[in-house]
Amino acid sequence: MAGMTKDFEPIPLPDYAEYPPGEMQARAEAFRAEIARRHTVREFSSRPVPRSLIETCLRAAGTAPNGANHQPWHFAVIGDAARKSRIRLAAEEEERAFYAGKAGEEWLAALKPLGTDPSKPFLEIAPWLIVVFGARSSASADGVMRKNYYVPESVSIACGFLIAALHHAGLATLTHTPSPMGFLNEICARPANEKPYFVVVAGYPAPDATIPRHAIEKKPLDEIATFFE
Ligand code: IYR
């Protein structure tokens, strides 16, 4: 029936795995080391990456925790040269205004150590651009439109899963946020109730890819965490 909500039906936790404490510590350390090898890359190779690899990483992203399990996201996966060119053209236009002063002095000063500028060749060179949209409302399984909850939080967590999955598979990524990015709805044929959040650029790094030294300076644990015990 239209608008009907589902009743609560608990099922046994299907696939939890417990490890001996020593193994837990080793797994935590192995994951830390693996994720610490992820670096945002801005120079990509045009080497092709199979669609099936991206599909598997998107399935991982789709398991992210989210508001009311409405899964308020859509991933527009751009592999065609024409759309990539349109995205580059529109993004560079916005970025030129941003770097010419729209961003303001403080923001531009904060970006100095990253060495970024309005030129975004990676938007045409990388094999895949994954445009991540958050849906303010979306259809339930029975086709009824309903409001979504915690959309930015849900989409950002899914994006984190996606970046981790792509890295784990051996790909380099860049979380690109042209500002404003409303132009992405038209290019990706997404409805107005969806808002673009990120462009996740994915591919092999260029053989001579560099990263800014600034990017490897990470805050120590005692600066990012406070324990109460
Ligand atoms: N969107 C711009 C500027 C930019 C902003 C932040 I905050 C960054 O961490 C990096 C870049 C660009 O892509 O150049």
Side-chain angles (χ1 to χ4, degrees), residues 3-180:
M4 215 165 75
T5 54
K6 271 190 199 162
D7 288 330
F8 174 54
E9 183 195 353
I11 60 164
L13 184 59
D15 39 22
Y16 173 75
E18 180 175 326
Y19 308 104
E23 201 179 324
M24 285 173 94
Q25 193 62 48
R27 288 176 63 91
E29 172 50 29
F31 184 77
R32 185 210 59 75
E34 169 70 10
I35 205 73
R37 286 194 310 100
R38 187 211 61 83
H39 304 289
T40 291
V41 159
R42 294 184 177 82
E43 292 142 324
F44 283 83
S45 156
S46 60
R47 266 169 82 190
V49 165
R51 170 176 162 162
S52 62
L53 192 61
I54 304 298
E55 286 178 343
T56 301
C57 295
L58 287 169
R59 286 195 181 96
T63 68
N66 66 88
N69 197 31
H70 286 192
Q71 303 158 62
W73 42 63
H74 188 87
F75 303 94
V77 190
I78 311 298
D80 69 300
R83 275 188 189 78
K84 283 196 262 180
S85 291
R86 287 176 67 194
I87 292 174
R88 177 180 181 185
L89 209 73
E92 287 185 338
E93 195 177 318
E94 301 292 8
E95 299 294 356
R96 276 194 295 273
F98 177 92
Y99 284 96
K102 201 175 142 195
E105 252 175 64
E106 187 177 354
W107 196 348
L108 292 177
L111 294 180
K112 263 251 162 79
L114 299 182
T116 53
D117 63 34
S119 169
K120 307 297 175 192
F122 52 77
L123 292 172
E124 282 184 306
I125 295 170
W128 296 107
L129 310 178
I130 305 170
V131 187
V132 184
F133 289 87
R136 296 178 192 94
S137 58
S138 53
S140 65
D142 51 16
V144 180
M145 285 303 280
R146 59 197 180 166
K147 187 178 156 18
N148 291 332
Y149 306 95
Y150 295 104
V151 175
E153 293 85 349
S154 303
V155 171
S156 299
I157 297 169
C159 192
F161 274 35
L162 176 62
I163 292 164
L166 292 164
H167 167 71
H168 186 66
L171 291 177
T173 56
L174 163 62
T175 320
H176 177 52
T177 49
S179 161

